[in-house]
Amino acid sequence: MQISLEEIRRISIEKEKENQDFKTFIKTIPIKEIDELVHRLNEEVSKQIDCTKCGNCCKVLEPPVTAEEVHVLSDIKNTTNKEFTQNYLAIEPGSNITYLKKQPCIFLEGNICSIYQKRPLSCADYPHLNHPHIKYRWRSVMTNYKLCPIVFNVIELLKSRLQFKSLLR
């Protein structure tokens, strides 16, 4: 199990071509089969990795937030929605998705979320490996592969379980 962020970054660069080939390979496998295997692997790997020892997602990502979540977060910060929006949020042009713009997250203390019970759904749901259609979300999976030990290990185990590496030799 690889948990070193430095090693994950290094290996992810080394495996860019392999991961592109793997993307092509999994297109040949039924989506239900891929999803079921990823969901199982996600459960296995998540039990073995303590996110509070890492917190990298909270250090580098800018999670989307809903209008309802903005109300909750502004209350936590003891500020108005308008002030919270001005100071901590941005809107992505084109999609109009509102997201937390500060890195690291303003609610991160060490590697721990200070608002864990009230964190946005996108944070609670991270790294999103429990969702269907993983092979159609490959770009975001590969972004997370480079920064999240859970995603990295799930994808490497997926390659192994599908015997992908043996095809590269």
Side-chain angles (χ1 to χ4, degrees), residues 21-147:
D21 291 343
F22 186 61
K23 175 187 176 186
T24 302
F25 172 75
I26 64 170
K27 285 182 178 180
T28 66
I29 299 170
I31 195 161
K32 184 177 179 182
E33 184 179 334
I34 294 293
D35 285 348
E36 287 174 356
L37 185 51
V38 167
H39 296 165
R40 265 195 322 273
L41 292 171
N42 181 43
E43 283 185 40
E44 288 174 29
V45 171
S46 293
K47 289 176 186 173
Q48 297 177 55
I49 294 179
D50 180 359
C51 292
T52 64
K53 301 265 191 262
C54 177
N56 199 39
C57 53
C58 302
K59 294 171 186 169
V60 300
L61 296 177
E62 297 173 322
V65 292
T66 66
E68 185 177 304
E69 291 168 336
V70 170
H71 293 295
V72 171
L73 298 175
S74 61
D75 284 347
I76 291 169
K77 276 302 224 186
N78 201 23
T79 186
T80 66
N81 287 349
K82 183 178 179 182
E83 288 171 336
F84 186 84
T85 298
Q86 289 172 340
N87 293 324
Y88 304 111
L89 301 178
I91 297 174
E92 185 177 82
S95 69
N96 288 327
I97 293 173
T98 302
Y99 61 93
L100 288 169
K101 68 180 179 180
K102 300 285 185 177
Q103 294 175 327
C105 178
I106 58 173
F107 299 107
L108 187 65
E109 294 178 1
N111 291 333
I112 311 272
C113 178
S114 65
I115 61 163
Y116 190 80
Q117 297 302 323
K118 295 184 178 185
R119 69 196 187 280
L121 178 61
S122 61
C123 298
D125 196 42
Y126 190 81
H128 316 295
L129 293 177
N130 57 328
H131 293 278
H133 308 120
I134 193 147
K135 66 184 185 179
Y136 298 121
R137 298 181 292 110
W138 197 251
R139 184 176 293 146
S140 66
V141 170
M142 284 295 100
T143 297
N144 292 327
Y145 172 90
K146 296 173 186 177
L147 59 93

